[in-house]
Amino acid sequence: MKTNDIFDFRRFGKYFASDLKTCAANFGLSLLVTALLLPLTIYCITIGFNALMSGLWDGPDMWLRATCFCIAMICIVVQMPVKCYGRITEKQYGSFWLTLPASRLEKFVSMFLMTCIIVPVIGVGSFIGLDAIICALDPTCGGSLVTGVSELFSNMLASGEVTLNLANESIPIEDVETINEFMIQITSPWLYIDEIFGITLPFLMGAVFFRSGKTVKTFIALFAFSTAVSIISTPFMTQLAVDMMNGVKNGDPMIIFDNGIFMNLVLIDTISDAIVNIALMIGIWFRIKTLKH
């Protein structure tokens, strides 16, 4: 088999453009409503409610807007894969999709880019962009979500530095450096990028795997998987927590950071997320490869 039979960049570009148009037709309006009309609606409702109750012009605070942002992103993640790719399990549309002039790898890559990168970036960018404009025009809303996230990470680092400075006389310098490095690692935004894939890929897999009740069955599968992982890991995590608490009670707070899990927490998180994401991608790939009508 020739290489261009598996993946051809020119052919992929044409298919991706077509996939983008199809997804825009199927989900564009929902994305527009969720990412743009929702924050505007919350703003207008809050202004009207505050004006009615207290007679003051007062916009929604950051916590309310952050909650709406989380709800909007959940709606996008859950709805988008089903609306854009859920129909490929139908006999008529699925047969048409299989005959499109592109290899299965090209269709898989396009599907991945649309679900995990393009739509989330558009959704997040639209929401926080509009939020920044609203906050700039109406100071009663306070700081924008971007400012709030930046301040959150800065405060986490500042709190860690204050704690270290207060305990600097009783903690050895090497332990101070260990704690400081740990705080820097867990407050890095880059650590949480792969979490986006881990959130979107299960719903994409559910959209192409289940033939009906895609969203509900995906949630059930996630619940079953989470329950199984919790049952398996609970004995180990319970013993780990007991050992740490005993160490703290015995006057050795650094036992927490001397533990292998905490010392390599970032590496463990990255590897575990990578394993889950790769497993989901393999499952989606084989589902596409074996799809027949």
Side-chain angles (χ1 to χ4, degrees):
M1 180 180 292
K2 297 181 181 180
T3 303
N4 59 2
D5 291 335
I6 301 175
F7 195 93
D8 181 83
F9 284 98
R10 185 176 181 180
R11 183 177 61 201
F12 170 74
K14 294 180 180 180
Y15 174 78
F16 181 74
S18 175
D19 193 22
L20 183 63
K21 293 178 181 179
T22 302
C23 191
N26 293 334
F27 187 67
L29 181 60
S30 298
L31 180 62
L32 178 65
V33 171
T34 305
L36 294 179
L37 291 186
L38 178 60
L40 279 176
T41 302
I42 295 299
Y43 174 77
C44 294
I45 291 175
T46 304
I47 290 293
F49 181 80
N50 290 334
L52 181 64
M53 298 300 295
S54 62
L56 298 176
W57 182 283
D58 192 12
D61 58 19
M62 185 175 296
W63 287 108
L64 177 58
R65 289 182 284 114
T67 302
C68 293
F69 173 78
C70 294
I71 294 174
M73 294 306 106
I74 291 173
C75 292
I76 291 174
V77 167
V78 171
Q79 294 179 354
M80 180 269 175
V82 175
K83 288 196 174 183
C84 290
Y85 302 108
R87 293 186 61 195
I88 68 173
T89 57
E90 300 176 5
K91 184 176 181 179
Q92 183 176 359
Y93 184 85
S95 300
F96 165 75
W97 185 80
L98 290 174
T99 59
L100 291 175
S103 67
R104 281 184 170 85
L105 179 59
E106 292 164 354
K107 294 176 182 177
F108 169 77
V109 173
S110 177
M111 188 181 293
F112 174 82
L113 291 176
M114 287 295 301
T115 306
C116 298
I117 298 178
I118 303 298
V119 171
V121 168
I122 293 176
V124 172
S126 301
F127 195 105
I128 64 176
L130 180 58
D131 178 79
I133 293 175
I134 292 175
C135 292
L137 296 176
D138 186 357
T140 62
C141 294
S144 65
L145 292 177
V146 176
T147 303
V149 173
S150 300
E151 291 178 352
L152 175 63
F153 285 111
S154 299
N155 291 336
M156 290 176 63
L157 283 175
S159 299
E161 291 177 358
V162 170
T163 303
L164 291 177
N165 290 332
L166 293 175
N168 195 25
E169 296 181 358
S170 58
I171 299 180
I173 185 63
E174 58 271 14
D175 292 340
V176 174
E177 294 177 353
T178 299
I179 299 176
N180 190 39
E181 182 179 354
F182 175 78
M183 292 296 298
I184 293 175
Q185 289 179 347
I186 66 173
T187 54
S188 173
W190 299 106
L191 177 64
Y192 305 98
I193 290 181
D194 54 358
E195 307 292 342
I196 299 175
F197 300 159
I199 295 173
T200 55
L201 285 175
F203 292 96
L204 175 58
M205 186 171 181
V208 301
F209 185 82
F210 299 115
R211 293 186 178 274
S212 62
K214 300 174 184 292
T215 302
V216 175
K217 291 179 180 178
T218 301
F219 275 113
I220 294 174
L222 289 174
F223 176 77
F225 177 77
S226 301
T227 302
V229 172
S230 299
I231 293 174
I232 295 173
S233 61
T234 295
F236 303 99
M237 300 305 296
T238 301
Q239 185 60 45
L240 176 63
V242 170
D243 293 340
M244 290 182 178
M245 292 302 297
N246 291 334
V248 173
K249 290 180 180 179
N250 294 331
D252 185 16
M254 284 304 297
I255 192 175
I256 297 177
F257 296 94
D258 290 337
N259 185 274
I261 294 179
F262 276 86
M263 289 179 64
N264 302 283
L265 185 62
V266 174
L267 179 61
I268 293 174
D269 176 74
T270 302
I271 293 176
S272 61
D273 288 344
I275 292 174
V276 173
N277 292 337
I278 291 173
L280 289 169
M281 292 171 66
I282 292 174
I284 295 169
W285 162 251
F286 277 102
R287 174 56 176 164
I288 294 173
K289 187 176 181 180
T290 58
L291 187 64
K292 296 179 181 180
H293 295 285

